[in-house]
Each structure stands twice: as C-alpha cells, then as structure tokens.
C-alpha cells in the first residue's frame, strides 16, 4: 500500500515538475538569426591537418576508415622516396558521415580532426564527397606541436634512425663488446 | 592418449605433442612467439609460460614453458594461475621495451602476432623510461622489406631461413641487445622461399614489399581461396584484392599439399593479374591491322558467325578444366586438342599412367616422411619449388630417427638438430647441372639427359645383380631405405626420364612396397587437360587447314612455334594477357585471370582442387568458360561445367565433389569474401558517383563479394581468409585445424582422382636424340604468367651459356665470353658442375629459339663485355635508409 | 427547423473536431516544446500555427503507398474504421442544453461501443500490413484495448447507478441538481481517465506503436493520408475522451452564468486535452507486461471496490 501511494505521489510530482516548466525560458537558440557558440571540440566538418613542419600528418594507417561506423572514409597508402607514408587519395563521403568523431579518436597522429563548422549543405549530393585537396588544411588544427614521426622508429627524410624522441643512436651490430 | 588436467579441466592430449600444442588444439589461448607448428619448439621467447604442478598435493607449482613440456598421464597445469598470467604479461612488457611506436606505418599492423599477443596478455603501458634501441635496415631485394627496429628476437626468421629452408645468407649477428637479423651485406635474399619470412616473422621486421607498393590492411582485403597457378603442385593460396588489384597472396594451409609455406614464385607471381599487358576488352582486327575495341556482345556475335564448318579448338594447360571442357564441347571432341606439344603430351601420358598404377604416389607433405630420395633429372627448386622445401625436411629423417631412438620428442627442435649434427638421410641427384639441393645431397651425378636415362637403367639392373659401380651404390642406398622415393619431372622435357623413373619405382616397389614415386608435371592444369584429352594433336588438326581456330589461354607461338598458325584465316584468341598469339589474332576476347574466375585444377598428384574468384573483373573481362558458354549458347555456370566434366570423363568424377557448388549456404547465408570490418564501403567509389552501386552478385560460387555472410564456419575449400577473434594474424590457423598441424576441421580439401590399382607393366623407352643444349628452368623467368608480375620480372636472370671447361675449350670460348645464336647473346659461364658436352641456357623470355638449336650453331661474339653476374639481374642493391 | 438544427450541429461537430484535430497537431507540439524548454514549431505563420495547414498539405501530397505484400482491402479499410468509430462517438456528446446530435437513452453504452470498435481498426491495420512489427503492434493493441475496456465500462457504472440512466443528458442534469460526479465517483474518474488514455493509445500507453521496439507499430507500413487517418483518429479519440470526462464527471456544460454553457464545455474539454498532453510530456512509457499487470491487478480490483461501495451507498443510504 505504501508502495502504491509512493508510486502515485511520484507520478504527481513528475506532472507538477513538468508543469512548472511552463514558466521557464526556452533553451532553444534560434539559428540562423542567432549564431550559437560552438566549442572547439564540437564535431563538425572533418579536416586533415599538418604537423609543425608543414608536412601532412596523415600516415594512411587506415584506422579512421576501419573505425568509421558508416564506412564513409576511403584512402590509399603510398610512400615517398624516403619511406614516409602518406595517403595517395583520402576521400570522405560527407553525405554518409554522421559526425561521430570516432575517426578523430582513432587517429594515432592527430591528423584527422573535427571542427565546429557544420554549415556544409549542398544541393547536389555529389558535392558532399570531399577529396584530400578539400580536406587538407595548412595548419595544425586543435593539437599543436605533435609530429608522429618524431616519436616513431621509422626513418624519414631529415630524421634518421635513432633521432626520434626517446631513441638511442643506431647500434653497431659488429661490436662484440659486452 | 594421456589425460592431463588444465585448470582442473580434464583434456585428452595426443601422445608426442608438447603442452602448447595440446592447449592450442583444445582451444585454450596461450600466447607464444618462437614456437611454430612446422618448426617445433626452442623455448627462446619464454612467452608460453604456464604453471605446472608436481603432484595432486602441490598447490604452489612452478612456472614452466608449455612449448618445452611433454604431456604425461595425469599431469596438472594451470594457464590461468595468477603468477603465470603476470609472468606472461611481464615477458611482453620486456619485449615491447624497444618496440618502436610504428604500428600505424607498419605493413603488419592489423595482422600482427605481436599485437595479438600483447592484447592477449593485457599489457598496455610502457613503464620503462629508458631509450629504445634502434637499428639500421638492410636492402633485401625487391620482395622483402626490412625494419629491424621492430624485432623481438624470437629467432624464428633464422630458424626458418637457415634450418628449414636451407638458406645461408640470413643470419643473426651481434650480441646482447644488439642482436641483428639480416645479411652480412645488403643484397637480394638468395633463397627461393624468402617470402615466407613475412608470415613467419611474428611482427613487422620482414614485410611484403610488393604489398607495400599498394598497401591495404588485412581487414580491407577481399580474399578468396585460390590454387596457385605458378607450377603443377597446386599449392593452396589466399589471393587478396582491393580497388580491382590483386594486392597479395598468402599461404592457405593444406595438410597434404603445401602445409604452412609457399615459394616466392607463387607468393609474388600472382601480381601478373595487375600487369599493364592485361587485355581489358574485346577487339576485332580491322583492315589496317589494328584492333578496334568492340563490346563483348558484338565480338561474341562476330565469333558466332565464324562457327560454321569445322572449327579447331586449342585448349591450354594453364586454363581451368571448366574452360577446357567448354571449348571441347563447343568445337566437338574430334576438333579439340589440349594445346601441349607432343613431347609434353607424351610426358603427361606417363604421369597419368603412374597415377593410375598401383605405385604409391605420396602427397607433398608425405614426401617429408621418406628416408631416401633419388631425384632423376628434375630441377625441383626451379620447376616445382615448394617440393624442394619438403625434400629439405625429408633429409632430416635420420635425425628424427636418432631422436626417437634417444627418446627426444620430435618437436624439441634444438635438441634434435644438436643430435643429428650433419647427418642427413640419403638424397641422390642425377642432373645435368648444379642443383639448388646439392647442399643437402649425399651424392650428385652431373649427366646429360640421355646419360641420366642410362644411369637409371643401370640402377634398375643393379637392384638385382651385385656388381660394384656408381649405380650399385645408389641402388643399395635405395634398397637400404625403409621408404625410398623417386622424384622426377618434366623440366628436362624428356619422356624417357619419366618412363625410366617409373620403371625404377616399379622395380623398387617389387622389393619394398613402401616405395614412392613423385612426378612433377609442367603447369598448373597439365594433368587435368591430359585427363580431358591427351590424344588431340595441334599440328595434325591444323594441318587439315581450317577456317577458324579458337585458342584458349595459350601462347601457341611460343609453345608450338609461330609457323603453326600462319595458314589460319580466323584466329579467335581468348586470353587474359597480351602475348605473341593474341597479337596476331583476328578477334581477341578478354578472359578473366585466375583471380577473377572460378576454376578446377588437377595437380601433379591427381588432386582436383577448386580455385575461387577473388573479385569481380572490371568491364568486359569474363571467365573463359562463360565466354565459351555464350558462344555455344548453353550459358552454363561453373558448376554446370563441373557436372558436364563428370558426365563426360569417368576419371574426373571427383571434380564435382572437390568443393561445394553455388547452392551451398551456411544457415542461409553465403560466405563473405570481405572481413566483417572491411572499411570504406560508402566512399570507395564515391569519386565516380555518390550513389553506391549494388554489390556485384556472384552466380558462380557460394561466396559473396560483400562483408555480409559467414567466414569462421566456412569449410576449408571455401574459407576466404583465416581469422579468429583475438587472432588477427595467419597464426589463427590452429583455430581451424582438427589439432595443431593436422587436417582442417572440415576435412582435407581437394579430391584425389586416382585410386591407383592397375599393375604398371613398365615403359618401353623411345628413341631420343641426345640433347646437348639444355634449357634450365628458372623459378623467376620460366613461367609465362609470373614473368609479368612487376617485382618478379626484375629477378629474371640474363641469358647465359653454362658449360664445363672441356666443353668451353671445344667451343673455343672462355669464362665471360659472349656466345650467340641468331640474335640471342649469352654470357659464357664456365662451370665444371655441368655435364660434359652440354651447354645449359636459361629458359627465359627471348631464349625460346634455342630449343631447336644445335651446339655447333653457336657463334662466339667478338668484343663482348659481360655483365658482372649474369645469374643475378642488375639491381640497385642499396636501401635508401641504410 | 428542428431537423435543420440537427444538421447544423452535425456539421459543426464535424468541422469542429476535424479542425480541432488539425490544430492539435500544432498545439500539442507547441505545448510539449514549452514543457521541455524548447520553442516547438514556430516558423510557419504567427506562432507557427500554419504548421497545421502545412501538415495537412504534406499528408495529402505524400505518396500513398500500399505494400505489394499487404491485404489491399483490409489495408485500405483499417484507417477509415478508426475515424468512423470516433466520429460516431461524438453523436451522443451533449455540448450544451439542446445542442447535441442525439440524446440516446443508451448514450453511454453507445460511446463505449464506438470506442470498442476502434480496436478493429488497429488490429486490422496491423494484420493487413503483413509486417512483423505491425502485427505485434496490432496484437498488443488488441490485448491492451480489450483489457482496459473492461474497467472503462465498469468505472462508469457508479455514475449510472447514481443517475439511474445511461443517457448523457440525464447524467449532466443529475449533476446540475446535485454535485459533479468527480466528487462521489473520484475513483471512477481516475480509472476512466487512465482507461481513456489507454483506449486512445496515447502516451504513456502507446505500446501498440512503441517506436523504440516496434518501429511504428501497427501503422509501420502506412503512409500519406492513410497514416493521416490513423493520426486524426488518435486526436479525435483524445478530444472525445476529454469531452466524455467533462460530460460525465465535470458537469458538462454547467458553470457560472457569465459565460454561455457551450463555452464552459469547451473550456473544460480544452483543459483535459492539455492535461493529456502534459501526461505525454511527463510520464514515460511502461513496459508491456507492466501495463497489463497494472490493468488487471490494480485497476480492476479498484474499479470493483468502487462499484461495490457505490452500490452499497445507493442501496442503503
């Protein structure tokens, strides 16, 4: 009986609490007359960023593509003359993208980032397909100072073996010293 | 069958297995690195630690390495015990101290055994703050990449390369944390099985350079179970595709054929599918002699118009049974020939008779169990490469026997090798020139082909009589063995060699019923087409002057001579690749390559195996049997032709049963060729149109060109790739095996078509002209298709003429002189390991004309400068980062 | 003259309730917006009231698709049934003294009968769609409506006992002479309100179309105006139940004389419509088994106790 009364009371309180909202102000921001503030980590248009040296951060590891729940990212790895990996093409089909940000979370190099820009409507769906030249920006985006190759063991132009962070110089394999 | 207790669960263990094998066979995940199912245990990595208890009262136990522990009745172990799990965790943590932060730019990422094992033990953070050791890489040739930083020093690579594959140019160098695996000097890896390093290495030290050129992660590859097209052994492979290109080939485990390993021709040769020489669509030659591209329908209509009157069909030993049968039905049995030369047909006739006889024909894996081998005139390493790997294991039987006598388990690899030292089971090689197996041979004889035949005849005589001679030594070696094996093949193009080998095997079998004979055929489906029709003679058929000739996937100009087709008015060629015959045809139809079409192939042991299409071919490219079906108007699917084959040829009854037909379903769903996490489905083709096309429908097989369907429960003949949760690398194969190293859970794939009951009467040797110019088959260079694979084509040797110093003196040439026949210029290599009065030349593109040449026709070239090493292509042997 | 007046009332009702249903589409969303601190539809016309018209145009203009696997006749018939049943229910509603379509002496029974007919619409719609979600929605609604019908009818029996008549006009007259039934029949009122929500399957009792588990329940396969009919039927049901509560428990048109009786009826009904919308805004949907056990294990005993007590009072006091 006590339980039943409590249950009824709880429903009545709910009704009253909701009714009280008749007199509260609406939270809605009337876009586009009024532009809302979007935090830097808002998940909008996706960009590809560059490292502090101005090189493409993307190493074409395919992790963003595999984590994408709608499979809207396609890319192909290629390599420069010095062994640096980069994408030959990088395509995002924004007509499929759900802006979930999983690609940004999966990215080991901070290359792929979501920006607060969400105004990207098109009359033609084909225009929603962004290629690398549309995605690549010239800055570092939200994360400054990170360069993947400076912490990875692979050598590239201007960064030899042993020159990455926390690496000893290459060993002399012919040494037999203890 | 001892019963052991693992975490208080009773497990039936197989006698002779080690604990790790027992645990894996029973589905208990234990991480490991240095153990390999084909190479046994050395206990180097300490990763497979478990707790072993002394007796039922022992509650503390002690840490033991499961790969080094034999199983005994009633033994108790714990995999889950806290100290074992923390021990395994700390081993991975130590291995990861120097492992670079490389996974995103590593070709192994996503199918890395080290990644899998790290996740399995639960290690996540590198607590050690010290510096990471680094190494410089080496250039190892166009096939294998090297990234030494990633090494965890499990020693699998050198154990495989030196101990298993017999290579001598990859070794461990240095001491303590400077241990380095590579060559003494940068350079192309010498061994023909170096590609297996990619699969043997548990991490990304050795990677597939050909894959890296157009890299895709394993999860993105669309794969299918295929049969290797590079030789007659019919190794099982996975061919993988993305963006319409064959990206790589991986080993597909088969417990009777190829086991865990492939040769480099098979692994890297399949890239010929991407060759720019592929024929993209149908063409009709116009009056000006140029090809006009036409639609496939128009071309087929045109060909139908030509099908009146007598039409000759020339099949091909590199086309599937289905395509050959479709051609035979189209032109009629009387007008069909299998497209082989008369010598080839005679040789394969011998192989067919041997297969049908009561002689024991072992499988390639069974070869490893014979304890005395005689190789008769077959260049195994170059002509049927994977067999050489099996022979290298067979000569270790003496060591295995010693181990068994001493009570050491077979898997105890280091101990067994320590015991056997340099003892080898006898391997006798009769060949006209040096052989890649000489290093393990107990006896070699360099003889001209005819002398090989007479030598074997002497051996047959010596089996019965007792007269000291070379032949007697060989005969007594064979007679002393428990299981002697005769290996021969078609590489010297001598039917007599095959016949006399069969006679020897028959003679031996009368003394010892466990004698085996293993004959290597020429091409992937040579045995199959010989079973369809081995009597049709191309020369005879074409001699009757026919208006229209249909050539199926066969380069007639190179194989049978260019004069043969000169009189033909309408030459219709169905082929995948441009070659001299396609470029003189009046109509060319684009055939699908092996990676784009289903097909059944019969290997040299008479095993019919189904190869599945990996991807849907682009544009008008169509499987050969479908083109021929359309011409015949009966539009049969692959399984329709398989039914026909069975109906028409009693001996091919197993073709239907060697794999399920297209109606096969697993709980109503097809088998997905793509992995369940294949990416980019809505973006791959979005640059063409944002409207995604429907996935192509597969009407020919129970597989589907999608990620939707089943994989883990597919039978071995249909399984498109090996993957199991937590086991992303190829090591997951043990999840599909009955027991480690055993047959697949779904049974052994392929159907052996011969039961072998007839008594072999013995072959009459035919008269053969003594050949002095001997073409040597080359693993890279002698296969029409794999020559077109971009990376392999750089490894084709330059023309040479190898001869003994006496022969050189008689020809008045010396080392590194030039020798010419027509416009073929060869470098003279003086090598006393070549049989007297013989000149060996490489069978590579451009040297075909030498096949009909005589020794006396060779001319010395004046003022010739020789390349530094004609056997090696001129490659840049430096690595950019070294 | 008498006959002409009937026609005026009939057409007045028709336009009134249809117009009301259309406006409700907008009004409900607006009100939900207010209670959920949003604005609701505010773009079409002043305060977004044009949305009602826009919705009508949209519903009429949409492709009216009949799935090839559906039972065509039943599929088309189902949505019309609910609108017909609900409209017929309005025939017995007395809006003001003398303003009613029919003063049946079994008015209450007629109303109960008509609301019961609505179940066929939902059931047939679900069945004819030949779709598993629609079928499940139809099944649920049949079980739910049949169950709640029981207490709906019983909850009114107290009123009938006190009044001694099934005629709705008589019930209002009784209240004019005595007091509103909400006082003596409070339990009956509560049960009737809850059963009424369940009958018109509105939130929180919209299990038949529970979109989180059944896509859209019985009308999954419906589109265009056929779907519109289901929607209109639901709003008609909402209005009808509100009118009935007012008539039976809140004195119908009765009220202080400064406003005409018709306006009093309208204001009271409107208040109940708002209350139903508030329920939708505030109360979450129960699980299906909770709904059924609540009905049979709680509502039914409650109604029977109410009936027993009322009967005793009528007999002995």
């Amino acid at each position: 009986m006590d339980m039943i009364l409590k249950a009824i009371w709880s429903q009545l309180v709910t009704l009253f609490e909701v009714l009280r909202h008749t007199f509260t102000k609406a939270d809605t921001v009337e876009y586009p007359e009024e532009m809302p503030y979007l935090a830097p980590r808002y998940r909008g248009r996706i960009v590809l960023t560059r490292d502090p040296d101005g090189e493409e951060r993307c190493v074409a590891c395919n992790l963003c593509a595999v984590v994408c729940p709608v499979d809207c990212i396609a890319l192909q790895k290629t390599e420069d003359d010095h062994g640096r990996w980069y994408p030959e093409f990088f395509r995002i089909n924004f007509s499929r993208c759900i802006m979930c940000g999983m690609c940004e979370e999966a990215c080991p190099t901070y290359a792929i980032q979501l920006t607060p820009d969400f105004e990207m409507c098109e009359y033609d769906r084909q225009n929603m397909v962004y290629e690398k030249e549309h995605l690549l920006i010239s800055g570092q985006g939200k994360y400054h100072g990170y360069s993947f190759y400076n912490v990875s063991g692979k050598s590239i132009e201007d960064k030899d073996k042993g020159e990455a962070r926390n690496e000893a110089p290459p060993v002399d394999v012919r040494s037999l010293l203890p | 069958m001892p019963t052991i207790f693992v975490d208080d669960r009773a497990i039936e263990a197989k006698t002779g297995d080690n604990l790790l094998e027992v645990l894996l066979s029973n589905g208990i995940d234990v991480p490991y690195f240095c153990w390999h199912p084909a190479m046994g245990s050395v206990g180097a990595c300490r990763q497979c630690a478990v707790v072993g208890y002394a007796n039922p009262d022992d509650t503390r136990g002690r840490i033991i390495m499961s790969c080094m522990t034999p199983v005994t009745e009633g033994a108790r172990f714990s995999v889950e015990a806290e100290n074992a799990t923390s021990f395994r965790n700390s081993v991975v943590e130590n291995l990861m101290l120097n492992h670079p932060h490389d996974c995103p730019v590593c070709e192994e990422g996503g199918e890395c055994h080290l990644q899998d094992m790290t996740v399995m033990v639960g290690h996540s953070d590198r607590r050690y703050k010290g510096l990471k050791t680094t190494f410089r890489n080496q250039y190892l040739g166009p096939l294998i990449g090297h990234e030494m930083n990633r090494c965890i020093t499990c020693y699998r690579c050198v154990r495989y390369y030196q101990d298993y594959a017999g290579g001598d140019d990859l070794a461990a160098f240095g001491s303590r944390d400077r241990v380095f695996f590579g060559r003494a000097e940068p350079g192309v890896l010498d061994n023909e099985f170096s590609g297996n390093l990619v699969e043997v290495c548990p991490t990304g030290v050795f990677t597939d350079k050909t894959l890296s050129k157009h890299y895709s992660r394993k999860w993105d590859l669309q794969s299918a179970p295929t049969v290797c097209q590079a030789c007659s052994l019919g190794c099982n492979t996975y061919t993988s595709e993305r963006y319409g290109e064959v990206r790589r080939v991986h080993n597909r485990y088969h417990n009777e054929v190829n086991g865990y390993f492939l040769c480099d021709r098979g692994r890297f040769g399949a890239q010929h599918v991407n060759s720019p020489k592929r024929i993209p669509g149908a063409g009709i030659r116009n009056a000006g002699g140029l090809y006009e591209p036409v639609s496939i329908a128009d071309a087929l209509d045109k060909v139908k118009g030509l099908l009146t009157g007598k039409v000759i069909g020339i099949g091909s030993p590199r086309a599937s049974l289905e395509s050959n049968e479709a051609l035979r039905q189209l032109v009629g049995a009387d007008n069909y020939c299998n497209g082989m030369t008369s010598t080839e047909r005679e040789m394969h006739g011998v192989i067919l008779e041997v297969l049908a006889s009561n002689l024991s024909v072992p499988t390639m894996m069974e070869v490893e169990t014979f304890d005395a081998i005689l190789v008769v005139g077959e260049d195994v390493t170059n002509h049927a490469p994977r067999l050489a790997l099996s022979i290298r294991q067979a000569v270790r039987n003496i060591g295995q026997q010693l181990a068994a006598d001493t009570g050491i388990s077979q898997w105890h690899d280091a101990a067994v090798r320590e015991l056997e030292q340099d003892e080898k089971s006898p391997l006798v090689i009769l060949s006209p020139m040096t052989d890649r197996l000489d290093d393990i041979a107990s006896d070699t004889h360099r003889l001209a082909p005819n002398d090989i035949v007479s030598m074997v005849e002497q051996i047959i005589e010596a089996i019965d009589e007792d007269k000291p001679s070379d032949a007697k030594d060989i005969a007594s070696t064979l007679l002393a063995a428990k299981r002697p094996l005769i290996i021969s093949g078609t590489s010297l193009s001598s039917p007599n060699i095959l016949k006399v080998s069969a006679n020897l095997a028959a003679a031996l079998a009368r003394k010892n019923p466990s004698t085996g004979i293993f004959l290597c055929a020429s091409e992937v489906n040579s045995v199959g087409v010989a079973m369809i029709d081995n009597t049709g003679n191309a020369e005879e058929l074409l001699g009757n002057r026919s208006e229209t000739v249909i050539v199926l996937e066969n380069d007639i100009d190179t194989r049978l001579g260019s004069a043969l087709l000169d009189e033909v008015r309408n030459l219709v060629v169905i082929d995948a690749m441009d070659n001299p015959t396609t470029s003189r045809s009046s109509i060319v139809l684009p055939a699908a390559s092996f990676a784009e079409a289903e097909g059944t192939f019969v290997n040299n042991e008479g095993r019919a195996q189904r190869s599945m299409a990996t991807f849907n071919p682009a544009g008008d490219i169509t499987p050969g049997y479908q083109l021929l079906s359309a011409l015949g108007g009966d539009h049969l699917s692959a399984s329709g032709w398989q039914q026909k084959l069975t109906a028409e040829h009693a001996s091919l009854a197993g073709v239907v049963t060697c794999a399920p037909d297209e109606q096969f379903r697993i709980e109503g769903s097809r088998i997905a060729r793509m992995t369940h996490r294949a990416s980019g489905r809505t973006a791959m083709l979005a640059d063409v149109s944002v409207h995604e096309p429907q996935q192509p429908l597969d009407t020919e097989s129970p597989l589907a060109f999608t990620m939707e369907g089943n994989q883990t429960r597919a039978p071995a003949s249909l399984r498109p790739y090996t993957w199991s949760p937590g086991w992303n690398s190829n090591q997951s194969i043990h999840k599909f095996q009955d027991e480690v190293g055993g047959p697949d859970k779904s049974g052994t794939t392929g159907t052996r078509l011969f039961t072998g009951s007839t008594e072999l009467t013995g072959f009459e040797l035919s008269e053969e002209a003594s050949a002095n110019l001997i073409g040597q088959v080359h693993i890279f260079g002698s296969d029409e298709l794999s020559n077109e694979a971009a990376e392999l084509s750089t490894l084709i040797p330059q023309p040479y003429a190898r001869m003994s110093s006496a022969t050189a003196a008689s020809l008045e040439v010396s080392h590194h002189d030039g020798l010419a026949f027509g416009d073929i210029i060869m470098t003279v290599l003086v090598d006393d390991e070549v049989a007297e009065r013989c000149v060996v030349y490489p069978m590579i593109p451009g040297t075909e004309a030498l096949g009909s040449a005589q020794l006396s026709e060779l001319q010395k070239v004046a003022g010739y400068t020789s390349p530094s090493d004609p056997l090696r292509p001129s490659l840049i042997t430096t690595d950019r980062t070294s | 003259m008498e006959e002409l007046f009937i026609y005026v009332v009939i057409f007045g009702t028709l336009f009134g309730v249809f117009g009301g249903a259309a406006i409700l589409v907008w009004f409900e969303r607006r009100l939900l917006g207010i209670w959920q601190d949003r604005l609701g539809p505010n773009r079409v016309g002043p305060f977004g009231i044009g949305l009602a018209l826009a919705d009508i145009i949209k519903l009429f203009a949409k492709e009216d698709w009949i799935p090839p696997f559906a039972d065509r006749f039943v599929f088309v018939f189902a949505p019309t049934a609910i609108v017909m049943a609900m409209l017929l229910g309005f025939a017995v509603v007395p809006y003001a003294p003398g303003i009613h379509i029919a003063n049946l002496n079994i008015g209450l029974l007629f109303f109960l009968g008509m609301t019961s007919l609505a179940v066929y619409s939902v059931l047939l719609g679900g069945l004819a769609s030949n779709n598993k979600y629609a079928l499940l929605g139809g099944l649920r609604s049949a079980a739910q409506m049949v169950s709640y019908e029981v207490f709906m009818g019983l909850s009114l029996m107290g009123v009938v006992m006190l009044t001694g008549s099934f005629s709705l006009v008589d019930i209002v007259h009784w209240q004019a002479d005595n007091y509103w039934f909400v006082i003596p029949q409070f339990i009956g009122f509560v049960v009737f309100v809850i059963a009424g929500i369940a009958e018109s399957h509105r939130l929180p009792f919209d299990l038949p179309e529970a979109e989180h588990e059944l896509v859209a329940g019985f009308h999954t396969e419906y589109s265009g105006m056929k779907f519109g009919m289901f929607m209109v039927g639901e709003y008609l049901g909402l209005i009808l139940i509100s009118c009935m509560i007012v008539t039976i428990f809140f004195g119908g048109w009765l009220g202080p004389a400064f406003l005409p009786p018709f306006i009093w009826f309208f204001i009271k009904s409107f208040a109940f419509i708002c209350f139903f919308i508030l329920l939708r805004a505030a109360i979450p949907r129960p699980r299906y088994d909770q709904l059924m056990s609540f009905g049979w294990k709680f509502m039914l005993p409650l109604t029977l106790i109410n009936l027993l007590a009322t009967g005793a009072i009528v007999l002995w006091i």
Side-chain angles (χ1 to χ4, degrees), chain C residues 88-123:
Chain C
L88 282 170
F90 279 101
V92 292
V93 179
Y95 304 108
I99 308 180
H100 48 71
I101 297 166
N103 179 16
L104 294 181
N105 56 359
I106 50 154
L108 208 54
L109 287 183
F110 183 80
F111 155 74
L112 288 174
M114 287 305 119
T115 50
S116 310
L117 275 185
V119 74
Y120 285 103
S121 166
V122 176
L123 191 59

Side-chain angles (χ1 to χ4, degrees), chain B residues 259-283:
Chain B
Y260 292 90
F261 302 111
L262 294 178
C263 72
D264 286 1
R265 189 202 270 183
R267 182 181 298 270
F268 301 108
Q271 309 254 346
H272 71 258
V273 175
N274 309 331
S275 162
K277 282 170 110 176
R278 280 296 299 274
I279 299 167

Side-chain angles (χ1 to χ4, degrees), chain A residues 123-135:
Chain A
Y123 283 102
D124 184 1
R125 249 181 88 195
Q126 190 64 51
N127 294 339
M128 298 293 281
V129 178
Y130 281 41
E131 296 290 340
K132 192 165 94 176
E133 66 257 36
H134 309 122
L135 296 164

Side-chain angles (χ1 to χ4, degrees), chain B residues 304-315:
Chain B
K304 272 184 200 160
L306 300 174
L307 290 180
T308 51
K310 191 176 168 192
V311 181
I312 303 294
I314 304 181

Side-chain angles (χ1 to χ4, degrees), chain B residues 232 284 472:
Chain B
S232 67
I284 296 178
K472 182 62 207 171

Side-chain angles (χ1 to χ4, degrees), chain B residues 342-615:
Chain B
S342 44
T343 315
E344 283 176 319
R345 281 187 290 107
E346 193 182 350
M347 291 191 294
H348 291 99
V350 175
I351 295 177
L352 286 188
E353 271 191 64
V354 169
L355 287 172
S357 75
N358 58 357
L359 288 179
S360 144
V361 178
T363 64
M364 194 156 37
M365 286 295 108
E366 276 167 10
V367 166
E368 299 184 1
T369 63
F370 285 84
D371 59 351
I373 295 177
L374 173 67
V375 179
V376 182
E378 171 72 351
D379 188 352
V380 174
T381 313
N382 282 309
H383 188 240
R386 177 61 186 82
L387 179 62
L389 212 47
S390 289
I391 294 176
R392 284 188 183 277
Q393 311 321 308
V395 298
R396 291 196 55 216
N397 275 321
I398 194 162
Q400 304 279 10
Q401 192 53 51
L402 277 172
D405 296 345
T406 330
I408 295 174
S409 303
Q410 304 294 316
W411 46 260
H412 218 311
D413 193 49
V416 175
R417 284 182 194 281
E418 197 65 34
L419 193 64
E420 77 187 46
Q421 295 290 328
D422 285 336
E423 292 279 338
K424 297 255 185 299
S425 298
L427 167 68
V428 182
I429 297 174
L430 310 181
S431 69
M433 59 272 185
T434 45
D435 195 278
R436 294 286 286 175
L437 292 171
D438 283 352
D439 60 324
I440 51 165
S442 54
D443 192 9
T444 58
H445 295 266
R446 303 288 170 240
L447 301 165
N450 279 1
D451 298 338
I452 293 177
V453 174
S454 37
M455 178 68 151
V456 177
E457 281 181 314
Q458 286 171 41
I459 298 172
I460 298 173
E461 284 165 19
I463 285 176
D464 297 319
E465 59 187 79
D466 200 10
K467 200 168 70 182
S469 67
D470 280 354
K472 182 62 207 171
D473 291 347
I474 300 172
S476 46
T477 306
L478 292 172
L479 284 171
K482 280 190 198 131
R483 302 188 69 195
L485 175 66
I486 312 298
I487 292 178
S488 187
T490 59
S491 64
L492 287 176
S493 295
S494 162
N496 274 352
I497 285 184
L498 288 164
K499 287 175 184 172
V500 81
S501 304
N503 290 348
L504 172 58
L508 266 176
R510 282 192 285 275
K511 300 260 175 190
N512 181 354
S514 33
T515 304
I517 179 163
F518 194 92
L519 300 179
C520 303
S522 297
E523 280 165 83
V524 58
N525 208 14
S526 297
V527 174
V529 290
M531 288 171 78
I532 288 183
D533 180 332
N534 207 25
T535 51
N537 185 341
E539 282 97 342
E540 258 173 43
L541 286 173
L542 288 167
N544 295 342
R545 277 266 352 243
S546 136
E547 286 285 292
T548 306
V549 173
I550 301 178
V551 175
L552 172 71
E553 302 182 33
N554 202 343
D555 180 4
I556 302 297
D557 289 61
T558 309
R559 193 192 293 267
L560 294 164
S562 56
L564 200 61
L565 296 171
D566 286 346
E567 299 289 306
V568 175
R569 182 182 295 184
N570 301 313
L571 180 63
V572 180
V573 175
I574 300 173
D575 209 336
M577 200 91 73
D578 193 18
N579 59 39
T581 305
T582 52
S583 49
R584 66 191 284 188
S585 61
S586 27
I587 301 177
V588 61
L589 297 173
S593 69
F594 84 98
E596 298 148 338
E598 188 176 334
T600 311
F601 301 91
V602 183
N603 76 354
N604 68 313
E605 41 151 357
R607 183 190 299 272
Q609 299 187 103
R610 192 77 42 81
S611 178
M612 295 296 171
T614 305
F615 62 106

Side-chain angles (χ1 to χ4, degrees), chain A residues 71 81 91 93 96 177, chain B residues 178 682 684 690 692 880:
Chain A
D71 288 346
D81 294 341
R91 187 181 306 130
N93 180 354
R96 288 285 189 192
L177 292 173
Chain B
R178 292 180 301 239
T682 65
M684 282 172 77
V690 73
E692 288 131 29
R880 52 170 194 274

